[in-house]
Structure formats: C-alpha cells, structure tokens
Amino acid sequence: MFDTIHEECGVFGAFCTNEPDENIASTIYYGLYALQHRGQEGSGIVVNDDGVFSSYKDIGLVSDVFTEETLSRLPKGNIAIGHVRYSTTGGNNRINVQPIEVHHIKGSLAIAHNGNLTNAMKLREDMELTGSIFHTTSDTETIAYTIVKERLTTDSIESAVEVALHKMEGAYSLLIMSATKLIAARDKRGMRPLCYGVTDDGTYIVASESCAINAVGAKFVRDVMPGEILVFSKDGVQSITTHCNRADRALCIFEYIYFARSDSTIDNVSVHAARLKAGHFLAKSHPADADIVIGVPDSGLDAALGFAEESGIPYGIGFVKNKYIGRTFISPTQSFRENQVRIKLSPIESTVKGKRVVLVDDSIVRGTTSARIVKLLRDAGAKEVHMRISAPPFLNPCYYGTDVDTKENLIANNHSVEEIAEIIGVDSLGYLTLDDAKALADGSHCLACFNGEYPTNIPTEPAKFRFEQKLSKNK
Ligand code: SF4
C-alpha cells in the first residue's frame, strides 16, 4: 500500500562514550536511511562537538538532502541526532524540518520527535500568551519550549524532561541532545516505538526501529519502556521510571500492520511475525477458492505469505515495485497522477494471467488506490480477484502522528464491505477482524482508528486542522 496512510517521523541518535567520532554524521545518515520508510519529506542531522552544535537539514529524501558534500560539512562529535519527517502537523516546509535547536540561558538543546501531542495547541497558546514566539508550526517546538521552561527551575536537563513530560499528552518518542547528554523518552503509553543498542566500540544508538540499529552494526539492547526516560552520558545509561506504569500500554497496532519495517522488532514482537499471523488469521476468517496468493509490496507481502501458508494456496510474486520513486515524485497533470500507481507497481502477467488471485494489502483508505491496483491485475489477465486486508476497516481519524483521514474520507464509513468490493472491482473482500487485530501481538494496543477507543483525551479537532485554521486567519 502506498500513497494513502503515512507515519509522521523517525528518530535516530548516537552517543560516543570514547573519543569524538569523525564519522558520527555518517552513522546518523545510515540510521536515517534505514528509517526512510517512516518519513520522506525532510530530514536533518545535528552534531554536537564538545557542546557546539552544527546542523544540516532540508526537504527531501535522506539521500537527496545528504550528499557527500553536505555530510562533510558536519564535524566530528560525541553526540548526534537525526530525523526523517512526514508532515502531518505543521505542513511541509523547510522551517518545520527536524531536529530543531533551541539556545537558552542554561545551554543548548536539539530535539527530534515522532508522534503528536494531543494538547499541543493548548500548551502553545499558553506559552504564546506569556510572550513566547514560535518560529515553526510543528509540535516539536512546543515540546522544546516546554522542556526549556522547566530547565530554568531544575538542576539538570533530565529533571527538566521528567517534569515537562507531566504536561505533555499524546503520543511521542523523543530524542533530546544537550551539550553533554543524549536523552530518549517515550510517552507513558508507548504509542510510538523507540529502542536502543550499542556498538562494539561503545557507541550507544537510539532509534525509532530496531532495523536502524542493525543497519549501523550495533547490537539491539532493548525497547525504551513506555514512560521511561533514558539518559546517555559519560557515566553510562541511567533509566528514569517516574512516568512508567502510569497508563495502559497503547502501542499503535498499525506499526505492526504497516508503518514499521518487516525486519524490525517492537516491544519484543517481530513485525514480520505479526504480519504473517495476520495472513493466517485472514485465511481462516475469509477463505477463498483461488489459484495463487499475492501481496501488494511492501507491507502486504508478509501477510500474503501467511495467507498462503494457512490456506495451502501457492504464494506468488504478483507485482514488481519501483523502489526509486520518492514522495517528491513530480506529478504535473491529473491524468499523470492517476497513472502513478502504474508507474510504481507493475503486475507480473505470468503469475496472474488466467488465475483466481487472492490479493493481500494492508488497508483501504479512500478506495481509489485499491481500485487502480485491482484494475492492473484485471488488465494483466487475472480471472478473479479476492482482496484480503490485513487490518480492520478504518472508521476513525488518528490524532497520534499519522495521517489517517477524516471520517468523511474513509470509505468504510460510508459503505458496506459488499459496496466497497463493488467500488474497487473485486470478486470478494475480507478484512482482518478486530479480535484478530488485537491478537497480532501480546498486550494492549491502540486500535482507535478501527474501534474508536482512543487511549487519551482527544482534541475536539485534529491539531493539523486547527493549525491550518489558525494560519489562514492570520493571512
Ligand atoms: Fe495507530 Fe490508529 Fe491508534 Fe493512530 S489511531 S495510533 S494509526 S492504531
């Protein structure tokens, strides 16, 4: 699935316990490269060389933003953090690209975050009313000022973070870099993933996903616990647990279904294993008489394999995906835009021609992309198409850093399963049941976009709309 639901961001940081590392910016670059699937609209790196921060950030894919030349402008350093962004709140412009840096009376901070605060507008309004001036429209600046405000009355940056977290509601995984420390924090429900590892030469690595820890040759140590603050300093790793066990866990279940990379492990559950399981569940709850099972690359592939294993129907490669098209892909005309699916995905005729095909994908949002994918299969000669979705139907918006759409735009809100099947042109359609979605991984998870049970108070309107309204009023 592509062109529909997007994750907001990925964060990556490194702390060297030895001498300053000449290659610390490259380490962050490779980590961000492994997290590119979490955000393709902008990326940035801040390097800390003995308390002096140097940064580079811009709009675009990691490989576009960071060339050999731009990377070489970043110095050696002891600590560095980086970020890949997909804009949900704040819009996609240069000023909102993270990490952001703040220089205050007690020092400097750089912050990168993944997620959305549900009370960001309230926090921001309170600060604006007392004289704060904001330069961006993203939540990150609100988080930075909330921490800085506490830093004025606390004796360390970690104490400031500890106090500030009491004020922040919603979903967030944070990386905060001070002159001498790297701090990682995860919201008390653990809604967004965050984990850390260590290299053989003693560099600590913190990342949104374990795939990025592996990518830089570090060994995975563990997930940051929900509510935990980890402080990496010359003294080692300190865990602050004041905010732990204060709420039920609520990791976004869609991390397992779509957002995360299959080779990542989140909260001790393999993403690949969870997707395989979804396929097994689908084959049991929505079997089909078919000749071949194929998946929509990339996140539909694992579930398709699971469906094939459970049903005994052979698994096949049904599509080739052009992996080299980023979000910056230029679509000059409407008709060209409509052809984007054809440019990104190409069916393999020899797999599907004359066959009854089970097509597994991870979601249907508006139905337009699904209809185009189904048409590709029909054009390639598929006799029947039985679509199976490795998630329940989207019925509600997400307030936690993804762009799951407003209710009106979610096709499952306005149509029955049979009607959707007709709209997208399939012979049958089956979704993962809510109970099966809950069983993808042990423990409690957020499933709010499927069942409407939000784990936090929610804003009356999504923050992104309120920001847009506020900005347009000022025009
Ligand atoms: Fe994930 Fe949906 Fe919850 Fe958003 S509402 S955090 S997409 S499960």
Side-chain angles (χ1 to χ4, degrees), residues 192 252-253 398 400 402 446-449:
R192 294 279 155 241
C252 167
I253 198 73
C398 172
Y400 305 119
T402 77
C446 177
L447 288 98
C449 51

Side-chain angles (χ1 to χ4, degrees), residues 109-343:
L109 289 182
I111 298 194
H113 102 281
N114 169 215
N116 265 16
L117 299 188
T118 47
N119 65 340
M121 281 303 290
K122 175 80 179 85
L123 289 173
R124 183 174 172 134
E125 273 164 16
D126 289 350
M127 284 188 271
E128 284 185 328
L129 288 172
T130 52
S132 298
I133 294 167
F134 283 74
H135 300 278
T136 74
T137 52
S138 83
D139 285 6
T140 322
E141 198 176 7
T142 307
I143 294 170
Y145 291 173
T146 308
I147 293 168
V148 165
K149 219 170 152 193
E150 299 307 332
R151 182 69 186 94
L152 303 180
T153 52
T154 48
D155 57 5
S156 68
I157 179 64
E158 55 269 34
S159 303
V161 173
E162 195 179 345
V163 179
L165 293 197
H166 283 291
K167 302 192 170 155
M168 299 194 291
E169 280 293 327
Y172 52 84
S173 282
L174 295 174
L175 281 186
I176 301 145
M177 179 171 72
S178 73
T180 56
K181 292 168 188 164
L182 173 65
I183 296 175
R186 199 170 167 198
D187 72 75
K188 63 186 174 190
R189 297 176 183 85
M191 296 189 72
R192 294 279 155 241
L194 194 64
C195 55
Y196 83 98
V198 65
T199 64
D200 288 342
D201 62 2
T203 296
Y204 288 106
I205 302 291
V206 190
S208 289
E209 286 182 40
S210 61
C211 67
I213 289 177
N214 300 336
V216 298
K219 281 196 187 69
F220 177 84
V221 175
R222 67 172 172 86
D223 294 284
V224 179
M225 294 184 290
E228 187 177 27
I229 300 166
L230 280 179
V231 186
F232 299 89
S233 71
K234 289 283 177 205
D235 301 327
V237 191
Q238 180 198 357
S239 166
I240 300 171
T241 56
T242 334
H243 294 271
C244 296
N245 302 313
R246 285 178 170 257
D248 289 340
R249 283 175 174 253
L251 175 76
C252 167
I253 198 73
F254 212 53
E255 289 283 353
Y256 292 120
I257 295 168
Y258 169 67
F259 292 140
R261 233 169 68 168
S262 287
D263 55 334
S264 286
T265 296
I266 305 175
D267 291 347
N268 300 317
V269 175
S270 147
V271 173
H272 169 69
R275 287 179 190 168
L276 268 183
K277 212 175 192 182
H280 280 264
F281 287 149
L282 275 172
K284 283 185 195 159
S285 60
H286 299 290
D289 280 333
D291 307 306
I292 190 105
V293 182
I294 63 169
V296 178
D298 294 315
S299 46
L301 299 178
D302 312 65
L305 184 60
F307 193 106
E309 283 174 358
E310 183 67 38
S311 64
I313 302 168
Y315 173 79
I317 305 292
F319 291 101
V320 169
K321 181 181 173 186
N322 187 336
K323 293 183 189 299
Y324 304 102
I325 297 174
R327 291 188 55 79
T328 47
F329 182 67
I330 301 160
S331 314
T333 64
Q334 180 59 29
S335 64
F336 207 67
R337 260 195 293 276
E338 282 168 8
N339 273 332
Q340 269 196 47
V341 168
R342 193 176 288 278
I343 292 160

Side-chain angles (χ1 to χ4, degrees), residues 8-44:
E8 192 183 11
C9 298
V11 297
F12 189 88
F15 184 97
C16 304
T17 48
N18 300 312
E19 292 303 299
D21 182 354
E22 295 281 347
N23 298 315
I24 196 159
S26 303
T27 303
I28 304 294
Y29 169 81
Y30 290 120
L32 294 181
Y33 199 71
L35 294 174
Q36 186 75 86
H37 57 288
R38 298 185 73 87
Q40 294 106 49
E41 291 187 349
S43 63

Side-chain angles (χ1 to χ4, degrees), residues 72-84:
S72 69
R73 283 194 227 159
L74 292 169
K76 66 177 171 43
N78 322 71
I79 322 173
I81 63 172
H83 188 265
V84 286

